[in-house]
Amino acid sequence: MRAVVLSEPGPPERLELRVLPVPEPGPGWVRIKVEAFGLNRSELHTRLGLAEGVTLPRVLGIEAAGTVDSDPDGVLPRGRQVVAMMGGMGRTYDGGYAEYTVVPRSQVIPFSSALPWETLGALPETLQTAHGSLTTGLDLAAGQTLLIRGGTSALGLAAAALAGDLGATVLATTRSAERTAALAAHGVDHPLVDDGAIAAKVREIVPAGVDAALELVGTPTLPDTLAATRVHGTVCFTGMLSNQWIVHDFYPIGYLPSGVRLTAYAGEAADLPAGVLQRTLDRVAAGELSLGPVHVYGLDGIRDAHRDLEEGRRAGKLVVRL
């Protein structure tokens, strides 16, 4: 099989397309014939040498979409449509950047859909993280206001769609004025150009501060996001588009505005209920919901895809279709 292997951290050229043996699943594991996989900041962090707990060489990829090729325990039938994500994929064992991947059955979620594989490949990890951030992380409710810091990322666009569908008013940021129209077209109520200090702009729209905020940029913008949030409001730290996630010399009384709550979200496959995945796919297929644009590459274009991911050239999800 063809697979993308990272042997040591570095630029996109370190991603090597190799021919490897098709892996064999043991008890409790499932082999998936990969049809498509999404790219994530996690894999960028691994390639740059920023991730902890990763062993190299490694086939990257924390998610994949495809069909069951082999289940030694006979639980999942061959040909069953599935997605898999997280749980060490692409970090402690080989992941989804390959024509076949072997994963624990606990990381596999079955579904049924006639959507194209490039659409299906864009959903698993992004949907899991957006859904978990809005529910577990923020407990967002209809009628509330939500600020998304990093709104044109795949996760930002998915969160905006789910929040709007829930009945929240959404404010979302972009560093590019040219992308505000795209945010508005995606259903964002108040697109904002992010110059690093947007709390005052947010409070012009919501004077008391937003009820909830989803921090996807990282620690450089976190204090300003906290400042844009109302007393008893909640900020959920989920993403690190800036590649910075450590708060140095953290003094809570000086760092946190009085009464503003700070939480975080990092989920696993088990945190995405199969029913939520299936309902989302059905609504996307019916044209009732869009989680954002998808940009498709071939496996031979993995280096170009990583360059685009690293440099933020595209709004939305980057997907490799095998």
Side-chain angles (χ1 to χ4, degrees), residues 81 88 119 142 147 150 178 187 216 253 261 282 307:
Q81 288 181 303
T119 301
L147 168 65
E178 290 74 20
L216 302 181
I253 292 176
R261 298 157 177 160
D282 292 345
R307 289 188 191 97

Side-chain angles (χ1 to χ4, degrees), residues 9 25 38 81 91 104 111 117 134 145 171 195 207 209 244-245 277-278:
Q81 288 181 303
R91 298 173 62 84
F111 68 90
W117 280 110
L134 297 183
T145 50
L171 299 78
D195 59 3
Q244 297 182 53
W245 52 84
L277 172 62
Q278 188 63 58

Side-chain angles (χ1 to χ4, degrees), residues 60-267:
L60 298 185
I62 65 170
E63 65 174 320
T67 58
V68 173
D69 188 64
S70 176
D71 181 348
D73 300 322
V75 176
L76 293 170
R78 192 170 189 270
R80 185 75 165 96
Q81 288 181 303
V82 293
V83 295
M85 72 194 85
M86 310 297 286
M89 283 183 69
R91 298 173 62 84
T92 58
Y93 57 86
D94 287 345
Y97 283 25
E99 293 178 321
Y100 293 88
T101 188
V102 168
V103 301
R105 192 181 301 105
S106 60
Q107 305 306 125
V108 177
I109 307 174
F111 68 90
S112 297
S113 179
L115 286 167
W117 280 110
E118 52 267 30
T119 301
L120 297 169
L123 285 174
E125 194 276 340
T126 298
L127 177 61
Q128 181 272 125
T129 307
H131 172 77
S133 295
L134 297 183
T135 55
T136 301
L138 292 170
D139 196 23
L140 190 69
Q144 291 189 318
T145 50
L146 170 69
L147 168 65
I148 301 174
R149 200 74 182 257
T152 56
S153 65
L155 179 53
L157 291 168
L162 296 181
D165 193 53
L166 179 66
T169 297
V170 179
L171 299 78
T173 70
T174 173
R175 292 178 298 171
S176 170
E178 290 74 20
R179 289 184 174 180
T180 56
L183 285 175
H186 188 64
V188 170
D189 299 288
H190 301 283
L192 300 171
V193 177
D194 196 341
D195 59 3
I198 55 116
K201 299 177 186 177
V202 170
R203 288 180 179 270
E204 287 177 3
I205 301 167
V206 188
V210 293
D211 299 302
L214 183 57
E215 179 58 75
L216 302 181
V217 175
T219 54
T221 56
L222 181 57
D224 188 59
T225 299
L226 288 161
T229 306
R230 68 168 174 84
V231 173
H232 299 159
T234 303
V235 176
C236 180
F237 190 99
T238 295
M240 296 85 72
L241 294 167
S242 64
N243 296 338
Q244 297 182 53
W245 52 84
I246 302 296
V247 177
H248 297 283
D249 302 319
F250 179 59
Y251 173 50
I253 292 176
Y255 192 90
L256 297 171
S258 295
V260 177
R261 298 157 177 160
L262 175 61
T263 186
Y265 180 77

